[in-house]
Amino acid sequence: MTKSRPYNPARQLAAVLSAFVVGVLALVAPLTSAGAAGPWSTAVSVTAASQAGGLTLKVDGSGYVSLPNASTGAPNAGVYVALRDPATMSNAEINADNGIVPALTFLPKMAMPTGDWTVGLNAAAVGFDVDAAWEIIVWSAHGNITDGSLIDTVPMNLTDAQKQALDPSWTPPTTTSTPAPSTPTTEPSQTTTTGPATTTPSDSTMPPTTTAPTTTARPTTTRPSTPATNPPATTPGGPHCVTEAVPGTTGAPQLSWGVKSSFVNYIESNVAKGQIDTGGGVSRTGAGFTWTNGSGSLDESGQGTWSFAGFVHFTGHDDVLNVTLSNLRVRVDGPNSGMLIADIDSHDMDGNDVGGKNIEMATLAFSSVSAAGGTATAAFTAAGARAFAGFYEAGEALDPLTVTASSTGSGTVETCYDADGNVVSTTETPGGSGGLAATGADTAGLIGVGTLLIALGGLAWLTASRRRRASASIT
């Protein structure tokens, strides 16, 4: 006879609750796991592999909607897709120099309106480590790879045939069988498997650092050789020379500016694959640009505007990124403060026109400023940041700029007169206080004055001789 277990309501309730909790966890766990990876997925396939053509990949993305913001906090402008070896190319190393990855491309947001996309990547065979654990990495543009901006990583595997196509010297690892214990061996042969040498990509020369612009030399302007006006009406004492001051003259202003070094480096990087053009009096000088033949000046209160013609044109991502700066003006509004103004022709990565005329693109803070020029730090205004394709935020720094309003400075001119007040010579001198012996006059001027004095002395001697003869004859 089986003994029945007494009914326990508390135990029955606990069993029901346990079953309910287990059921909820079973339902929630897969949902939570799927949601953590996001709605997107990425796949990669090898389409070609050869020593001549390198490695060609096809990368497909789907569900790329509601993407995370870029590392700068700005809204997502698209995605970067790159091939990397995580053992030698960490996030920090790629952020510092994106040239270390063998293949990288940018996909603008407008190119994937439905969230689905396909891009191709190509990596050169030279220096490619076929045994590395390669992977495809996708992150939000424009910015660095961070935990918040990283979207997906997918392994990229090569077959033995593809490895050998990329590196003909590569051979599959040899498997060595272990001999049976009962088989005696005197000198067992040993097989050594040598893998191909791993080449670590070298850093490219495109760190996103800001380089101060190069200050151009001031042009030399020849001082006027015209003698000072109002020579003395009477010249007691005969022939003489006087030294007179000549005021300096102001030349055409020049502007030296690197725009924004990180932006310039980005345009010419392996990501944007763009170029920079200048014209209309603007030239590339080292890490910056120089605008010559400017116009304008500051008034007595220290305010005014220097204007510079010419343009700098930036293009990248097959002209999707397109920014032209022209008609720059440096306005000084008060003590050590001002504004950088420009006409900007620009479109953002979605194709929207974000440029305009007379945009106050940056605030300026001069260390000192005068009619001779000055150097200032610069920071984006909201309008200026928007005009740079929305890459930046208001308040972000641009490169410092320097305006040079060249001047000859003051000097002296020595002018020599004969006994009748006529100009004998005019000579530019480094200075002095007059007096023929210390004038610094050139040789031609001294010879002219000396010749004049000799002639006058001869004339005086001849006149005196005639007077003596006349006096003797009368006597």
Side-chain angles (χ1 to χ4, degrees), residues 223-224 243-249 407-414 427-432:
R223 298 189 184 96
T243 301
E244 300 168 78
V246 176
T249 58
S407 174
T408 62
S410 60
T412 57
V413 171
E414 182 182 70
T427 307
E428 196 174 343
T429 70

Side-chain angles (χ1 to χ4, degrees), residues 339 359-363 379-386 393-396 398:
M339 187 73 67
I359 293 178
E360 294 185 340
M361 64 173 293
T363 57
F380 272 119
T381 63
R386 180 173 180 268
E393 299 292 327
E396 287 196 55
L398 292 97

Side-chain angles (χ1 to χ4, degrees), residues 391-445:
F391 273 37
Y392 305 103
E393 299 292 327
E396 287 196 55
L398 292 97
D399 284 9
L401 60 80
T402 298
V403 175
T404 304
S406 60
S407 174
T408 62
S410 60
T412 57
V413 171
E414 182 182 70
T415 305
C416 294
Y417 302 90
D418 63 17
D420 296 325
N422 300 311
V423 176
V424 176
S425 66
T426 301
T427 307
E428 196 174 343
T429 70
S433 57
L436 186 58
T439 58
D442 60 15
T443 304

Side-chain angles (χ1 to χ4, degrees), residues 9-192:
R11 182 181 299 165
Q12 186 71 20
L13 179 61
V16 171
L17 289 175
S18 298
F20 177 76
V21 170
V22 170
V24 169
L25 291 175
L27 290 173
V28 171
L31 293 177
T32 304
S33 177
W40 45 78
S41 63
T42 313
V44 58
S45 59
V46 178
T47 59
S50 68
Q51 193 173 25
L55 176 66
T56 303
L57 304 175
K58 176 174 172 283
V59 185
D60 297 296
S62 61
Y64 271 69
V65 293
S66 302
L67 299 177
N69 289 341
S71 62
T72 61
N76 183 286
V79 295
Y80 294 121
V81 184
L83 173 66
R84 76 161 175 186
D85 172 13
T88 59
M89 305 169 193
S90 66
N91 292 350
E93 290 170 322
I94 297 174
N95 291 338
D97 178 11
N98 55 67
I100 67 174
V101 297
L104 187 152
T105 191
F106 167 69
L107 188 70
K109 191 174 183 179
M110 65 181 182
M112 48 180 179
T114 64
D116 299 336
W117 51 267
T118 298
V119 297
L121 293 177
N122 181 263
V126 177
F128 191 86
D129 182 6
V130 296
D131 286 323
W134 294 98
E135 68 181 10
I136 295 296
I137 181 172
V138 185
W139 73 97
S140 293
H142 295 285
N144 290 332
I145 309 170
T146 63
D147 292 341
S149 66
L150 180 61
I151 298 175
D152 207 357
T153 56
V154 180
M156 191 284 298
N157 300 313
L158 296 173
T159 65
D160 287 353
Q162 291 165 347
K163 291 180 180 180
Q164 199 159 35
L166 291 168
D167 182 4
S169 66
W170 181 86
T171 56
T174 302
T175 303
T176 304
S177 58
T178 304
S182 60
T183 304
T185 57
T186 56
E187 293 182 1
S189 60
Q190 297 181 1
T191 302
T192 302

